[in-house]
Amino acid sequence: MINTSLPLFWAVIPAAGIGSRMRADRPKQYLDLAGRTVIEHTLSALLDHTSLQGIVVSLAVDDRWWPGLVCATDNRITRATGGKERADSVLNGLMRLEACGASDLDWVLVHDAARPNLAQSDIDRLLQELADDEVGGLLAIPVKDTLKRVDPYGRVEVTVDRSVIWQAYTPQMFRLGHLRQALSDALAAGVMITDEASAMEWAGYRPRVIEGRSDNIKITRPEDLVWLTQLWHERRHEPTPTT
């Protein structure tokens, strides 16, 4: 029986996108990465964490790849219908969580399907730092390179102060009720929502940034898949430390 005395932790994975920039014959979450699909690695990272009660994956109605995966029959994973945009898919996932018994006060970690290199230490840090936060927040990293703002003609207008700029990653963790309302209201108002934090910001909240690992990359282009494949290959062949 689920203990409802304290807020629980759940996860939602929006996975209805096509990923056209990969120029592949299937959505990028179903591309091979070290012998398994990208989304299988992503789900494994979350399923391996004992604090999560369950995961909802939002999939396209005509998704023909998901049923063939072993994880499709995992009873810890529930399927929801994906939407036209990411915000629609996440909102559908939240409503599916409610049908599974999640409460408005429970925490939801929304994670990209194509971000398979999520470290357990990053999940630990997110849960530990935000469990008592009034708003919630997201994993992110401070930018390292000099940033330029350019005009429509490709000419530099100004150099941006990088000390106050962070690159947003996932998971992003918010209360189910707050995030559902923020997404619903933003979609109704026609607001452009690029991630869950932007919906919360539009609703008047100030999400907290938690520094995570820089190798928690999102696979967007073919070179990202190559880089991650090489990284995992090198890790597998690292010499065992001696005592």
Side-chain angles (χ1 to χ4, degrees), residues 75-168:
N75 60 14
R76 296 169 294 177
I77 301 174
T78 302
R79 178 173 178 169
T81 301
K84 181 180 179 181
E85 304 293 342
R86 175 194 177 93
D88 299 297
S89 293
V90 173
L91 185 57
N92 289 349
L94 296 177
M95 291 189 290
R96 190 73 180 89
L97 272 182
E98 290 179 309
C100 293
S103 77
D104 280 358
L105 293 179
D106 284 348
W107 290 105
V108 180
L109 283 71
V110 182
H111 187 55
D112 297 323
R115 205 179 287 270
N117 199 38
L118 175 62
Q120 294 294 298
S121 58
D122 270 5
I123 303 176
D124 289 338
R125 186 175 302 112
L126 199 66
L127 269 56
Q128 292 166 6
E129 294 288 339
L130 298 179
D132 296 322
D133 195 87
E134 294 182 357
V135 176
L138 64 152
L139 287 178
I141 61 168
V143 298
K144 299 177 181 179
D145 299 320
T146 299
L147 300 177
K148 305 289 186 181
R149 189 174 72 221
V150 301
D151 64 19
Y153 306 100
R155 295 193 177 277
V156 174
E157 291 184 331
V158 67
T159 298
V160 180
D161 179 8
R162 68 181 181 185
S163 68
V164 297
I165 304 296
W166 288 61
Q167 185 173 344

Side-chain angles (χ1 to χ4, degrees), residues 107 126 129-130 133-140 166 168-169 171-175 178-179 182 195-211:
W107 290 105
L126 199 66
E129 294 288 339
L130 298 179
D133 195 87
E134 294 182 357
V135 176
L138 64 152
L139 287 178
W166 288 61
Y169 278 8
Q172 303 193 1
M173 175 174 144
F174 300 102
R175 301 277 187 182
H178 290 165
L179 182 56
D195 64 357
E196 294 65 53
S198 65
M200 294 293 287
E201 294 159 30
W202 180 80
Y205 297 99
R206 297 184 63 188
R208 184 177 169 193
V209 166
I210 305 298
E211 184 169 357

